[in-house]
């Protein structure tokens, strides 16, 4: 076999002679490769956005809500029972080794009034642990303290949306707001978390001490009742352990026999995250698969042109054979030619695809996600396309009988 | 010393039910350094014969020995190597690669013989110079006259120092004056470097330059005689 360098030179010359044809053939690959890159980038970008939204709720989070209430065969919805109490939350933190923080929640909505401004928002009675559970910091002021919980003090932490609507650009710390006509002192402002997956504004909230919510704002049917217990596991690995520990502890505390159903529900946010990730990954793969079809069509374009080229250049093949070209000399010549077409097309496609992805991500504010993997993938894929679709024409050329090839008109 | 020897060589083409016999029972011996003209009307089998002894085509029956080696049953790649090292071809239609310079056309046999680029260049320049094509190394075939193109083809046939040169109607596309020049070149080549030349032609004037004429008719050799130089 003659050297690759000489073969490459022959291939480049042959492609240069038919500039227009080569460019159009490459166009198929260019479109295919850029489509694959763009689709993968959009898919990965959307997937990352969703993940970050889910984890903004708080990572390694387990949510415990009361189970459904059954009376006379009528089952009410989840959370209708009042089976969870502050004591359950304390027990979880005390006894479950895989749990790092707990925040019992007793919430509802109410009008918040400041001066002549008012705003309807979600009021969440909770404990100081909430900030750790939700991975949330403060932009101003302080967190509530255990003493606030014990004494059921009238203090509150405001979400950014509430601050914007009631105070505008004023500093809210130390100001008095009224919730259900009861005055509360603002002690802190929560860090902004943006929209949740469902499009809910996570900053449209007011946190008050749990005991204050239970005794003064919403009341309770059972003393110490809470609507939700939010539990944070020590790590992602501990999540399933924590889930089991919480379930076992609550069954024991609520005296639920082995054959009875739980009177509470344990939800794992990471499962949701994984599910969402799985869904977006499937979508990404689907998009990439559709884009690959155009790459395949581009490959067929190469094969088509190479077959034409072999026929057109039958005489050239005959001359080369007559002066001593061997089977593989001819094969390699046409394979390299197809490979050159697909590789130049591939590289151009990568450049165009990456630029378009970056442009799209800026315009639509999707995180840019042109990964090295997708670049390598489409590059090697276009190479394979070249070899695969170049091989048959090359094989066909190499099987020509020299004398028939020479006589070809 | 015998260079080419055929024994009962035959070539049959399948056309419909009956085969067409292009060659039948052709037994010929050609020695090193000879200048042989193969003559005959078209369809007489002279080109088929040349293609077979040039290893471009395979006989359907009979044996062929080149330089003492049996050629029958060799693979296409082995035949390619023999063509590359032992035989140079000159065709009626020149058969140069278009859009490729004279020099690169001449370099082709060296390329497939794995000669390094520098040596390739130098050898092809020498061959072109020998054929009086100095200064035309970078011309493409369409920028050269018929005679010049045929001389590029002869340079290509010689560049690998092949001992045999086979010319199939080399002057068929040339005018009389250029034909004489090309034939004198071949005579000189045969005389000076001892290259064995096998020339296929149907023109007696051209055949007259050779030393021996083998005549074909309907696939048979009908005469084989020395040329009497007057």
């Amino acid at each position: 076999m003659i050297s690759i360098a000489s073969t490459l030179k022959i291939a480049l010359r042959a492609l240069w002679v038919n500039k227009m044809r080569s460019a159009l053939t490459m166009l198929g690959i260019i479109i295919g490769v850029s489509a694959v890159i763009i689709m993968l980038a959009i898919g990965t970008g959307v997937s990352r956005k969703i993940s970050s939204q889910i984890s903004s709720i708080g990572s390694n989070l387990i949510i415990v809500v009361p189970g459904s209430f059954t009376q006379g065969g009528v089952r009410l919805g989840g959370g209708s029972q009042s089976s969870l109490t502050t004591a359950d939350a304390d027990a979880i933190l005390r006894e479950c080794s895989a749990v790092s923080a707990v925040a019992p929640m007793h919430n509802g909505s109410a009008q918040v009034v400041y001066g002549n401004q008012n705003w309807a928002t979600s009021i969440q009675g909770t404990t100081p642990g909430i900030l750790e559970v939700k991975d949330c910091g403060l932009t101003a002021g302080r967190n509530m303290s255990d003493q606030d919980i014990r004494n059921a003090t009238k203090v509150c932490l405001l979400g950014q949306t509430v601050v914007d609507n009631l105070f505008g650009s004023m500093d809210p710390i130390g100001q008095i707001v009224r919730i259900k006509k009861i005055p509360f002192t603002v002690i802190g402002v929560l860090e902004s978390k943006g929209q949740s997956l469902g499009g809910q504004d996570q900053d449209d909230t007011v946190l008050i001490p749990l005991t204050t919510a239970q005794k003064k704002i919403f009341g309770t049917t059972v003393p110490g009742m809470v609507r939700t217990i939010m539990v944070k596991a020590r790590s992602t690995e501990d999540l399933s352990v924590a889930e089991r520990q919480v379930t076992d502890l609550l069954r024991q505390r609520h005296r639920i026999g082995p054959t009875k159903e739980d009177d509470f529900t344990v939800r794992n946010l990471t499962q949701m995250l994984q599910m969402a990730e799985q869904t977006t990954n499937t979508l990404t793969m689907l998009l990439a698969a559709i884009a690959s079809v155009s790459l395949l069509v581009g490959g067929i374009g190469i094969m088509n042109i190479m077959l034409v080229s072999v026929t057109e250049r039958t005489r050239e093949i005959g001359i080369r054979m007559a002066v001593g070209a061997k089977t593989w000399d001819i094969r390699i010549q046409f394979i390299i030619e197809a490979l050159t077409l697909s590789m130049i097309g591939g590289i151009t496609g990568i450049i165009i695809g990456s630029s378009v992805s970056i442009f799209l991500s800026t315009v639509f504010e999707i995180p840019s996600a042109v990964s090295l993997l997708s670049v390598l993938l489409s590059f090697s894929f276009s190479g394979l396309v070249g070899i695969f679709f170049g091989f048959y024409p090359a094989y066909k050329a190499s099987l020509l009988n020299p004398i028939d090839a020479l006589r070809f008109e | 010393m015998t260079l080419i020897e055929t024994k009962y060589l035959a070539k049959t083409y399948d056309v419909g039910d009956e085969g067409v016999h292009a060659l039948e029972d052709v037994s010929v011996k050609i020695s090193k350094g000879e200048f042989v003209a193969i003559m005959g009307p078209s369809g007489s089998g002279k080109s088929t014969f040349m293609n077979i002894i040039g290893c471009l085509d395979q006989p359907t029956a009979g044996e062929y020995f080149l330089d003492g080696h049996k050629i029958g049953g060799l693979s296409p790649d082995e035949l390619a190597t023999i063509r590359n090292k032992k035989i140079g071809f000159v065709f009626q239609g020149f058969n140069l690669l278009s859009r490729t310079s004279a020099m690169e056309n001449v370099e082709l046999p060296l390329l497939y013989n794995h000669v390094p680029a520098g040596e390739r260049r130098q050898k092809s320049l020498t061959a072109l110079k020998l054929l009086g094509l100095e200064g035309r190394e970078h011309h493409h075939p369409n920028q050269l006259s018929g005679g010049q193109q045929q001389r590029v083809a002869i340079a290509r046939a010689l560049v690998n120092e092949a001992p045999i040169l086979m010319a199939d109607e080399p002057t068929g596309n040339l005018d009389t004056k250029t034909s004489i020049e090309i034939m004198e070149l071949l005579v000189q080549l045969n005389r000076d470097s001892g290259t064995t030349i096998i020339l296929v032609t149907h023109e007696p004037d051209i055949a007259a330059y050779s030393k021996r004429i083998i005549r074909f008719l309907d696939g048979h050799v009908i005469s084989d005689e020395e040329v009497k130089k007057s």
Side-chain angles (χ1 to χ4, degrees):
Chain A
M1 232 162 64
I2 65 171
S3 77
I4 297 293
S6 312
T7 319
L8 192 64
K9 206 173 137 194
I10 296 171
L12 286 175
R13 192 208 308 273
L15 295 177
W16 187 248
V17 165
N18 290 301
K19 284 183 273 299
M20 188 64 176
R21 193 161 86 184
S22 307
L24 286 173
T25 313
M26 277 178 207
L27 195 61
I29 293 292
I30 293 172
I31 292 173
V33 168
S34 27
V36 168
I37 293 210
I38 294 168
M39 291 304 164
L40 280 177
I42 290 179
T44 329
V46 167
S47 159
R48 272 190 205 167
K49 194 171 184 180
I50 290 177
S51 302
S52 76
Q53 276 174 343
I54 291 183
S55 54
S56 73
I57 299 170
S59 54
N60 305 331
L61 206 59
I62 296 167
I63 298 175
V64 188
V65 295
S68 66
F69 182 65
T70 312
Q71 196 174 40
V74 180
R75 295 179 79 200
L76 300 172
S80 55
Q81 252 182 327
S82 43
S83 55
L84 294 176
T85 61
T86 318
D88 286 332
D90 294 342
I92 288 171
L93 186 58
R94 207 170 47 238
E95 289 177 32
C96 299
S97 57
V99 170
S100 66
V102 164
M105 312 275 282
H106 192 65
N107 54 354
S109 52
Q111 210 73 12
V112 183
V113 181
Y114 172 74
N116 58 358
Q117 301 289 321
N118 69 91
W119 184 251
T121 183
S122 130
I123 313 292
Q124 308 194 320
T126 185
T127 57
I130 187 70
L131 294 190
E132 193 189 337
V133 168
K134 283 198 155 189
D135 288 325
C136 184
L138 294 175
T139 47
R142 64 165 180 95
N143 193 2
M144 56 182 90
S145 64
D146 289 334
Q147 202 168 356
D148 289 326
I149 303 294
R150 267 199 302 281
N151 302 338
T153 54
K154 287 171 275 186
V155 295
C156 65
L157 294 150
L158 303 184
Q160 193 57 50
T161 307
V162 179
V163 173
D164 292 344
N165 283 291
L166 292 183
F167 295 94
S169 55
M170 239 174 78
D171 179 17
I173 304 292
Q175 302 294 324
I176 308 288
V177 294
R178 285 169 192 281
I179 302 167
K180 290 198 172 177
K181 292 179 184 156
I182 300 166
F184 280 79
T185 309
V186 178
I187 56 168
V189 177
L190 298 168
E191 202 176 72
S192 178
K193 299 213 96 180
Q195 278 190 353
S196 76
L197 265 187
Q200 246 176 343
D201 182 358
Q202 296 182 82
D203 300 325
D204 190 5
T205 186
V206 173
L207 301 185
I208 58 175
L210 179 64
T211 42
T212 318
Q214 286 168 332
K215 290 172 188 160
K216 295 173 180 159
I217 304 289
F218 301 121
T220 50
T221 44
V222 176
M225 177 196 111
V226 295
R227 289 195 204 278
T228 315
I229 301 175
M230 297 186 96
V231 178
K232 189 184 173 73
R234 290 197 186 280
S235 67
T236 315
E237 292 73 45
D238 283 335
L239 209 60
S240 51
V241 180
E243 202 179 331
R244 208 177 52 242
Q245 285 175 345
V246 168
T247 311
D248 290 348
L249 180 74
L250 289 179
R251 284 179 73 89
Q252 191 194 326
R253 284 178 60 84
H254 296 181
R255 300 197 179 78
I256 297 166
T259 55
K260 291 271 180 62
E261 261 184 71
D262 293 344
D263 63 352
F264 56 88
T265 311
V266 176
R267 286 196 209 122
N268 181 337
L269 263 189
T270 309
Q271 276 171 1
M272 245 174 82
L273 183 72
Q274 279 165 351
M275 237 165 65
E277 261 174 10
Q278 236 168 37
T279 314
T280 49
N281 279 348
T282 312
L283 272 174
T284 308
M285 285 301 119
L286 185 74
L287 288 174
I290 293 169
S292 309
V293 171
S294 57
L295 194 51
L296 193 74
V297 173
I300 294 171
I302 290 191
M303 179 144 141
N304 193 9
I305 283 305
M306 292 310 295
L307 283 172
V308 171
S309 181
V310 165
T311 313
E312 253 182 18
R313 282 151 66 193
T314 304
R315 219 181 158 79
E316 176 194 326
I317 296 166
I319 295 170
R320 289 183 186 275
M321 284 177 159
V323 301
K326 293 186 179 137
T327 317
W328 271 102
D329 290 328
I330 299 293
R331 269 182 214 175
I332 283 294
Q333 183 189 330
F334 282 93
I335 290 175
I336 292 271
E337 210 172 300
L339 200 59
T340 311
L341 268 179
S342 67
M343 290 307 239
I344 296 178
I347 292 169
T348 319
I350 286 170
I351 294 168
I352 293 179
S354 308
S355 326
V356 171
S357 308
I358 291 165
F359 173 76
L360 283 180
S361 72
T362 340
V363 172
F364 296 107
E365 287 171 356
I366 300 169
S368 161
V370 181
S371 63
L372 185 66
L373 182 78
S374 70
V375 168
L376 287 179
L377 198 79
S378 38
F379 186 70
S380 43
F381 195 50
S382 55
L384 281 178
V385 161
I387 293 176
F388 185 79
F389 289 107
F391 189 82
Y392 175 68
Y395 178 76
K396 206 180 148 205
S398 73
L399 286 193
L400 285 171
N401 188 2
I403 192 65
D404 294 338
L406 273 174
R407 280 189 190 141
F408 185 85
E409 292 300 329
Chain B
M1 195 187 137
T2 308
L3 190 60
I4 286 168
E5 184 176 10
T6 66
K7 288 178 179 167
Y8 314 111
L9 213 58
K11 178 79 184 176
T12 312
Y13 291 107
D14 289 325
V15 182
D17 293 337
E18 270 175 74
V20 173
H21 301 286
L23 281 182
E24 265 180 303
D25 287 340
V26 176
S27 301
V28 169
K29 271 188 189 178
I30 297 169
S31 301
K32 204 167 259 180
E34 278 197 80
F35 190 154
V36 185
I38 296 170
M39 290 194 71
S42 53
S44 60
K46 60 186 193 301
S47 283
T48 308
F49 177 70
M50 197 203 83
N51 290 335
I52 290 172
I53 60 174
C55 299
L56 287 168
D57 205 355
Q58 302 264 36
T60 36
E63 285 176 327
Y64 168 35
F65 296 89
L66 175 64
D67 217 358
H69 300 288
K70 196 172 176 223
I71 298 301
L74 293 183
S75 72
D77 282 356
E78 287 167 318
L79 291 176
T81 308
I82 292 173
R83 285 196 299 272
N84 182 262
K85 302 208 164 148
K86 301 213 163 148
I87 305 163
F89 293 96
V90 177
F91 300 95
Q92 177 176 7
F94 317 134
N95 275 340
L96 298 173
L97 294 185
S98 54
R99 301 189 186 98
T100 306
S101 71
M103 197 173 87
E104 280 170 297
N105 263 293
V106 175
E107 276 184 15
L108 269 190
L110 301 172
L111 180 74
Y112 292 113
N113 196 21
H114 309 279
V115 174
E119 198 183 330
R120 232 158 49 207
R121 190 186 154 80
Q122 187 228 319
K123 278 191 170 176
S124 64
L125 285 178
T126 314
L128 283 167
K129 197 174 166 188
L130 188 76
L131 286 149
L133 288 165
E134 236 177 335
R136 309 221 177 256
E137 295 88 352
H138 299 288
H139 285 53
H140 287 190
N142 60 356
Q143 296 165 314
L144 296 170
S145 70
Q148 286 168 331
Q149 286 187 56
Q150 198 58 299
R151 277 189 278 169
V152 173
I154 295 171
R156 183 178 67 190
L158 295 177
V159 75
N160 217 5
E161 286 148 19
I164 308 166
L165 190 147
M166 295 196 182
D168 191 355
E169 308 268 10
T171 57
N173 285 4
L174 302 175
D175 59 46
T176 317
K177 184 170 164 278
T178 324
S179 296
I180 292 169
E181 278 172 29
I182 293 291
M183 288 319 295
E184 278 172 351
L185 207 66
L186 291 180
V187 168
Q188 186 193 343
L189 203 68
N190 174 256
R191 189 184 57 222
D192 297 350
S193 31
T195 308
T196 309
I197 294 178
I198 297 165
L199 170 78
V200 170
T201 183
H202 63 273
E203 291 173 75
D205 295 353
I206 298 299
Y209 284 91
S210 68
K211 295 178 192 161
R212 174 185 168 193
I213 295 176
I214 301 174
R215 280 174 217 277
F216 276 73
L217 188 65
D218 296 333
H220 295 272
V221 175
I222 52 165
S223 76
D224 184 349
E225 59 198 11
E226 301 283 314
V227 175
K228 293 179 185 72
K229 301 276 176 185
S230 51

